[in-house]
Amino acid sequence: MDVILLERVEKLGAIGDVVKVKDGFARNFLLPNKKALRANEANRKVFEANRARIESDNANRRGEAEKDAQSFKDASVTLIRQASNTGQLYGSVAVRDLVEALEADGHKVAKNQVVLDKPIKSIGVYDVRVALHPEVTVTVKVNVARSPEEAEMQASGVDVMASMFERDEAGFIEDYDPNAEPGATAEVQQDRGDEEPAQG
């Protein structure tokens, strides 16, 4: 289906562009959200007659969005979630969670403005885009951790999972006893060593 765009649509075009899209995308998204008109002769005339007003309205909305964007400078949110030892979350962080966190920080954001390419399913620091306007996008740092202390470490640039893995490996090497029987732990060897004099 050919449509006339009433606003900039990412990966499609700008105001006034006539683009070909899949019927479902047009019917389910572009047309009901007033982002486009069907590209027929009547609508072309309507668009051209109202083009100046449409572009003016768009410029006003873009100006407001640019003002709002200033409040997002260096914006970040921290989400504390339960996760396994491998860093996998029990569940995932969805758009709704991000909207609630941003609103708690005083940012007014709608769900359809948060661009989350895929759900966040493990701890870490992520860059998430927020489209305040089709032509104004800001980036928010999302810090997902198991505790406030872990979140602080991640915020300072520490890879929590990597450092935890290194700690585990270091601990294993430190406790390793070359004289231990296969499968026996250092504690078991120690216990046996304590028991031997008693038996003699």
Side-chain angles (χ1 to χ4, degrees):
M1 181 189 296
D2 288 342
V3 297
I4 306 166
L5 297 180
L6 298 177
E7 63 179 49
R8 179 182 173 275
V9 178
E10 194 171 356
K11 297 178 184 172
L12 268 188
I15 292 177
D17 286 355
V18 177
V19 295
K20 190 175 188 66
V21 296
K22 290 182 178 176
D23 289 359
F25 183 55
R27 277 198 295 264
N28 299 328
F29 179 70
L30 295 175
L31 299 177
N33 288 305
K34 296 184 169 53
K35 292 178 183 289
L37 294 171
R38 290 174 189 272
N40 54 40
E41 201 55 43
N43 281 342
R44 278 194 179 91
K45 287 177 181 173
V46 169
F47 174 77
E48 288 305 330
N50 292 283
R51 184 172 195 136
R53 181 181 59 78
I54 291 168
E55 290 181 346
S56 170
D57 288 348
N58 180 66
N60 290 338
R61 289 199 308 275
R62 185 176 62 232
E64 288 173 13
E66 284 168 349
K67 279 185 198 168
D68 290 344
Q70 298 301 315
S71 70
F72 279 87
K73 192 176 180 185
D74 301 324
S76 66
V77 294
T78 299
L79 298 171
I80 305 302
R81 292 287 186 273
Q82 289 186 324
S84 68
N85 290 338
T86 59
Q88 295 297 307
L89 300 181
Y90 298 129
S92 63
V93 173
V95 169
R96 185 184 67 250
D97 302 311
L98 299 176
V99 169
E100 288 172 0
L102 286 166
E103 286 181 343
D105 273 5
H107 300 294
K108 193 174 179 183
V109 177
K111 278 174 70 174
N112 63 355
Q113 291 178 314
V114 178
V115 183
L116 191 61
D117 297 324
K118 56 184 179 179
I120 296 171
K121 295 189 174 181
S122 58
I123 64 172
V125 179
Y126 300 85
D127 286 336
V128 175
R129 288 186 306 133
V130 178
L132 301 175
H133 176 274
E135 297 165 46
V136 181
T137 302
V138 295
T139 301
V140 175
K141 282 213 174 303
V142 179
N143 188 341
V144 185
R146 289 174 292 195
S147 67
E149 295 77 23
E150 205 169 75
E152 279 182 32
M153 287 171 65
Q154 289 187 157
S156 64
V158 175
D159 185 333
V160 172
M161 293 316 300
S163 61
M164 184 184 296
F165 182 69
E166 284 164 14
R167 265 204 318 274
D168 288 347
E169 289 231 314
F172 176 72
I173 291 165
E174 191 179 323
D175 293 338
Y176 177 65
D177 180 357
N179 299 317
E181 292 176 13
T185 62
E187 289 83 357
V188 170
Q189 291 297 313
Q190 182 66 43
D191 290 346
R192 286 184 181 171
D194 293 342
E195 287 169 7
E196 276 173 15
Q199 288 171 356

